[in-house]
Each structure stands twice: as structure tokens, then as C-alpha cells.
Amino acid sequence: MTRVIHGSRIALIVGFGAALMGTAVGVLIGIVSGYFGGIVDIAMQRVVDSIIAMPGIVILLLFTQIGERSLTLTVTALGFLGTVSAARVVRAATLSVRGEVYMEAARSTGASDLRMMVRHILPNIVAPIVIIFSIAVGTNILAESGLAFLNLGVPGPSWGNMVSEGRAFLDSKPMMSLAAGGAITMTVLGFNLVGDGIRDGFDPTRRSG
């Protein structure tokens, strides 16, 4: 139990840290790309497409070889990987609101590009951003556990390390792996359910009654 509790600190720090980093950078890229369009959109999306084309595990392995394993390196690697998916979703949301009447009204009053993006686009795409963040937390926890299982994650007791170490004692001490595996499953499932609930809350077509 002590190791599971200690491992939860690593899981939550990596989960929230990487989700915050990936969502923030992805929102910035997505809004700029969707708002300006043209050559800016094409250039940014080609970079995003090239990153998406690479298997995620390959990118994570490349990051782990940059320097010594640490919490910062793991958060950075997972945050970078989450940036591209956030950017695609936010770009699509930006394109859907870019042509709205209130955007034309703000543009006609002489609003700057920065004001248009911050005051008129960002508040109207909060729903997908919140959903992206909540789901990304669970995804990053699962990814960190996978890296730790391969002995490529954060040094010290973590859920992935516990599952890996417990494989040799499945017959005599199965709880070494089952406790950590259960913690991973319940935590990731919980954040995914939160994301689904937020999505249903923002989508009027899914509300009952």
C-alpha cells in the first residue's frame, strides 16, 4: 500500500503536468492555425501531420535517450506527444467559430488579431479544451506506467515499476502486480469517465429530459 500511495504521486504529477503542457501548447497552435489559415495553417498542419505519422512509442523512446531519466523529461515527452492531438481538435473548433457573426462584428470594430483570438475564439471553444485535458490526464498516466514497465520511466517506486517487478512473484505474491495494476486501471478509467461526463454536459443533444 505504501508503494502504491507513493507511486500515485508520480502518476498524478506526470498525468496533470503533461496534460497541462500538451493542452496549452496545442491550444496555442490550434487557434493560430485555424484563425489565420492560408500558408500559416498549411505549414503548421504539415508539422503536426509529420509528428502524428511517427509512432508514439518511438517518440517517447527518443525523448528518453536525450538525457537521464527524470520527472521533467517524462512530463516533457508526454506533453510534446499530446500537443499534436490537442492542436488538431482546437483547430477544428476554431474553424467552426471563425465565420460566426460575432466574429465579423468584432472585426468590423477594428479588433486586433490577438483580441479576436483571446476574447472571442478562446471562450467559445472551452468545451473541447476541457474534454481534451481531462482525457489526456488518464492517457498520460497510462503512458507513464508503460514507460516505467519498460524501465524507461521516472526512477523510484511507480505503478509501472511495481507491475514489472511483481511479474516474478505472481505465484507467491500476486498483489505486488495486482495492486499497482488495479490502481492504474481505476485511475485511468476514472479520468476517462470524467471526460465523458464533461462532454455530455457540454453537448445538449446528449442530455436526458
Side-chain angles (χ1 to χ4, degrees), residues 86-208:
R88 295 297 292 270
V89 175
V90 172
R91 172 183 175 272
T94 301
L95 290 174
S96 68
V97 303
R98 188 178 63 176
E100 295 291 339
V101 176
Y102 59 83
M103 292 291 293
E104 297 296 333
R107 190 175 291 108
S108 65
T109 61
S112 64
D113 292 332
L114 180 61
R115 182 180 179 84
M116 294 282 287
M117 289 185 285
V118 174
R119 295 294 301 274
H120 299 287
I121 292 181
L122 184 59
N124 288 285
I125 61 172
V126 169
I129 293 175
V130 174
I131 296 169
I132 291 169
F133 177 81
S134 61
I135 294 178
V137 174
T139 302
N140 290 327
I141 291 175
L142 187 60
E144 187 278 329
S145 299
L147 288 175
F149 182 83
L150 298 174
N151 198 29
L152 297 173
V154 180
S158 68
W159 291 343
N161 280 333
M162 291 178 62
V163 174
S164 178
E165 294 171 358
R167 289 184 303 166
F169 306 97
L170 285 177
D171 294 334
S172 59
K173 299 178 181 179
M175 287 304 297
M176 290 183 64
S177 289
L178 293 179
I184 295 171
T185 302
M186 297 303 296
T187 304
V188 174
L189 178 62
F191 280 110
N192 286 341
L193 291 176
V194 169
D196 289 341
I198 294 174
R199 181 196 61 192
D200 295 344
F202 279 110
D203 188 355
T205 63
R206 293 177 175 268
R207 296 175 187 167
S208 59

